[in-house]
Amino acid sequence: MTRRTEWPGSDADPDPGAGPDYGTGSGTGFGEGAGRRARSRSRSSGSPSSSRAEKGEPRDPVEQARNVCLRLLTGTPRTRKQLADALRKREIPDEAAEEVLSRFEDVGLIDDAAFADAWVESRHHGRGLARRALVRELRTKGVDSAVIDEAIGQLDSEQEEETARELVARKLRSTRGLDRDRRLRRLAGMLARKGYGEGMALRVVRQALEEEGEDTEGLEEPF
């Protein structure tokens, strides 16, 4: 006896597109090979929803949205916009996506404020990014401007400048042997790429070069 497989959440046959087994009887007009071909044609012409059912994927869009979000959140916090974009890419209906995203926010699985706080902490201390660069990154992830402002408030100008000094100190040795102007451009360019403003970058680089005995006269001009 062939055992029927029960699929969670569905009373449908797990392989609804497959044809019956005609065996090898000569009176039917179907041999074993013909039966296989018939089943193959039936499966290949099945609808996308039938294919999803065969793979065990839920047909309910809310359940699909929930599964997608849980997979994406495993080990990696994400913003609401990141998840919404992922659901849209998978063609989840807007109503189902909104229901799941709102529910995940209610239970704390989506928390843009916590995401922004952690992002600022990690990217500033780990990569040395300045506030301007952090704002730009959080905006691309869909974080609300008010939430960004609050998260960026963790960093004050003194802390930001201290981080800039640390970055220059680490890079300074690799510029030794270059002329002053090239050292200036290289160090200031590194700070600019990390989001530091021109005034702060010039001040920090100038002080670092002075400590090494470089003549910094004329470096007050914008670079």
Side-chain angles (χ1 to χ4, degrees):
M1 177 181 297
T2 302
R3 188 175 66 179
R4 175 174 174 171
T5 303
E6 298 294 335
W7 292 78
S10 173
D11 295 327
D13 191 310
D15 192 8
D21 185 0
Y22 291 95
T24 58
S26 60
T28 63
F30 288 85
E32 182 177 356
R36 283 198 300 268
R37 287 192 297 272
R39 289 192 294 271
S40 176
R41 284 194 300 271
S42 179
R43 283 194 295 270
S44 64
S45 62
S47 66
S49 60
S50 298
S51 298
R52 286 195 297 269
E54 292 169 6
K55 295 177 182 178
E57 296 181 10
R59 295 182 178 182
D60 178 13
V62 171
E63 187 65 17
Q64 290 178 22
R66 178 179 178 276
N67 288 347
V68 169
C69 289
L70 287 175
R71 285 198 300 270
L72 292 175
L73 288 169
T74 300
T76 306
R78 298 178 190 268
T79 66
R80 178 174 178 133
K81 181 181 184 300
Q82 287 177 304
L83 294 172
D85 289 345
L87 295 177
R88 193 174 300 111
K89 184 177 180 180
R90 289 164 173 80
E91 299 182 349
I92 302 295
D94 290 343
E95 185 176 348
E98 182 67 23
E99 178 180 338
V100 170
L101 293 172
S102 296
R103 175 58 179 163
F104 274 36
E105 276 189 329
D106 290 342
V107 300
L109 289 174
I110 300 174
D111 189 337
D112 281 4
F115 178 95
D117 288 343
W119 189 267
V120 169
E121 175 73 16
S122 172
R123 300 286 283 178
H124 178 73
H125 293 290
R127 298 288 302 277
L129 298 188
R131 286 175 291 185
R132 185 165 56 183
L134 293 167
V135 168
R136 187 165 54 244
E137 289 187 340
L138 288 171
R139 281 177 178 165
T140 65
K141 296 182 181 301
V143 180
D144 183 77
S145 295
V147 175
I148 293 176
D149 290 343
E150 187 170 347
I152 294 298
Q154 299 177 38
L155 302 177
D156 56 34
S157 58
E158 291 182 2
Q159 183 177 355
E160 192 174 50
E161 185 163 335
E162 180 60 30
T163 301
R165 294 183 191 282
E166 293 172 358
L167 291 169
V168 170
R170 290 200 295 267
K171 187 75 172 176
L172 199 62
R173 179 177 298 179
S174 67
T175 67
R176 289 170 185 163
L178 302 177
D179 63 64
R180 187 198 67 174
D181 290 344
R182 289 185 65 189
R183 298 185 80 187
L184 170 67
R185 288 193 298 270
R186 184 166 296 185
L187 294 169
M190 178 268 295
L191 291 179
R193 288 191 296 274
K194 292 181 179 291
Y196 292 89
E198 180 179 292
M200 179 184 291
L202 178 60
R203 182 171 64 253
V204 168
V205 173
R206 181 170 184 251
Q207 291 174 353
L209 293 177
E210 284 178 346
E211 291 173 1
E212 286 209 336
E214 288 275 14
D215 179 7
T216 60
E217 185 177 355
L219 291 183
E220 295 84 356
E221 296 298 324
F223 51 86

